Amino acid sequence: MFGIKSMASKGLNIIIVGGGKVGATLVEALSTEGHDVTIVDSNRDVITEMANLYDVMGVEGNGASYMVLREAGLEDCDLIVAVTESDELNLLCCTIAGRSGKCATVARVRTPEYMRDVGYLRDKLGLTLIINPDLETAEEMTRILCLPNALDVSSFAHGQAEMVRFKLEEGNQLIGKSVMECGTETFSELLICGVERKEELCIPNGSFVMEQNDIVTIVASRTNVREFFKKIGNVSRQVKDVMIVGGGKTTYYLGQSMIRRGISVKIIEKDKQKCDLLSILMPKAIIINGDGTDQELLIEEGIEYVESFIPLTGIDEENIMLTLFAKQVSNAKVITKINRMTFKNVINQLDLGSVIFPRILTSEKIIAYARAKNNSKNDNIETLRHLFDSRAEAIEFRVDEASVITAKPIRELKLKKNVLICSIYRRGKFIIPSGSDQINLGDNVIVVTTHSGFEDIKDILER
């Protein structure tokens, strides 16, 4: 066993099996939030590095071994998360942990065949949560392609509310207007909850004036988001076609999603066997067997005329170069998938359109669950999203019990600084709250804050 566990933590006892990209992200995030984390991996170098970098324990061995899990602290474990590269190992690990201990179990499962049986697997194996990074990534891309003026689209309140991030390009009607003017002149049923200007982040008040090249984040109902773009002269409709380079699992999930929406799909993949399989799985898609990094092939297949282009090669450098090439030769909406977090500051300086980090999408779901479980009384965090390069969080709380925060006007609540109550979703109705509105039992409340670690809606109040 490696490392020395801190005795000061009041968080959960968490075992993470698998020290890859997602595992490393979870170790960093969960240990930072005050949980006692033990990492299990068969690679001694991986666990030694983790134990040296973070305040965590490390156990070398097979995460599906009962004896290894016992050494990692299974008997006192609150949550076990299996995120190795093997779906089967993850499922076996969680099954053993669930049968042998009293902990909650989360498994990463990527294989499409298993995802079709997700309900059965969850029930019969006793899994608390099944996470699929490729499916999460494809769903995120789908939301963006249905609203291509946006850089990012996050879904809340079971898809009824959206948080949308977009750039104020030259000629945009919002340039030179204050937040208050936008609310009264443009659309009152939305809230501007963040503005990025160069390297600075601002949660704006009513007098804040927007400038060209600002990146603005709004929250509104799904319908009102589209009305908003229409009113500012930025008509946004879903794309008609998409060209994808690479034929992996994310491509499969994204292609299926696009076809269901009537969007034409063309996939370029150099592996003949993958092409044959994709042709069977997606007969309505056009599958091209060729090297998607070949500029001549891309031009021959019509990259200059497609409405959207997504490189999913599995190699970050190739994805970045393909995105830059697409932006040079076309007006396509581009989305760039990046797996590694290194050189993020350099990546942010490049014009890559919408950028998606799958491991962040995966970790956000698990962090949200860990926070809700640590609150013990209620699993009251529905959604967690990190915003503005993790400088702020958007959290959707489900209000399941009466407390000091319910049944009183918001203006009477003593909120912490840098906390913004963005919206209330109540029995199918989306509300942008004013000072006279109140939070009621049964509401879903979206909060944006620069604080980290909120586990309960009451955390937004000054102590």
Side-chain angles (χ1 to χ4, degrees), residues 150-175:
L151 293 172
D152 300 305
V153 181
S154 301
S155 180
F156 296 86
H158 307 292
Q160 299 305 306
E162 290 182 335
M163 186 169 286
V164 179
R165 182 169 169 262
F166 63 99
K167 188 174 183 179
L168 297 186
E169 305 281 3
E170 183 179 358
N172 192 295
Q173 293 181 21
L174 301 185
I175 295 170

Side-chain angles (χ1 to χ4, degrees), residues 114-186:
Y114 291 156
M115 291 308 299
R116 286 195 285 269
D117 303 325
V118 66
Y120 177 86
L121 291 172
R122 189 187 295 114
D123 293 340
K124 297 301 181 183
L125 301 183
L127 299 175
T128 308
L129 196 62
I130 292 179
I131 298 289
N132 186 332
D134 300 290
L135 180 58
E136 296 287 337
T137 300
E139 289 178 346
E140 182 91 349
M141 291 177 173
T142 298
R143 286 192 289 270
I144 293 171
L145 293 178
C146 289
L147 195 69
N149 289 335
L151 293 172
D152 300 305
V153 181
S154 301
S155 180
F156 296 86
H158 307 292
Q160 299 305 306
E162 290 182 335
M163 186 169 286
V164 179
R165 182 169 169 262
F166 63 99
K167 188 174 183 179
L168 297 186
E169 305 281 3
E170 183 179 358
N172 192 295
Q173 293 181 21
L174 301 185
I175 295 170
K177 290 187 177 180
S178 69
V179 170
M180 187 180 298
E181 288 175 320
C182 294
T184 56
E185 295 179 13
T186 310

Side-chain angles (χ1 to χ4, degrees), residues 31 67 80 82 140 158 187 201 220 224 247 299 316-317 402 421 442:
S31 61
M67 296 306 295
I80 186 164
E140 182 91 349
H158 307 292
F187 212 91
L201 163 65
N224 286 345
I299 290 173
D316 290 348
E317 292 80 3
I421 299 176

Side-chain angles (χ1 to χ4, degrees), residues 1-7 9 12-19 23-24 26-28 30-32 34-61 68-74 76:
M1 186 173 284
F2 299 76
I4 300 174
K5 186 171 286 189
S6 169
M7 301 301 292
S9 173
L12 302 174
N13 290 317
I14 300 175
I15 298 174
I16 297 174
V17 180
L26 286 171
V27 167
E28 180 181 8
L30 293 171
S31 61
T32 300
H35 301 292
D36 284 334
V37 178
T38 301
I39 179 76
V40 176
D41 197 280
S42 56
N43 188 323
R44 173 182 287 260
D45 293 336
V46 167
I47 59 174
T48 301
E49 182 180 1
M50 295 281 188
N52 290 336
L53 282 174
Y54 310 108
D55 182 20
V56 301
M57 300 287 282
V59 175
E60 179 185 359
V68 170
L69 291 179
R70 276 199 64 183
E71 184 183 355
L74 179 60
D76 299 318

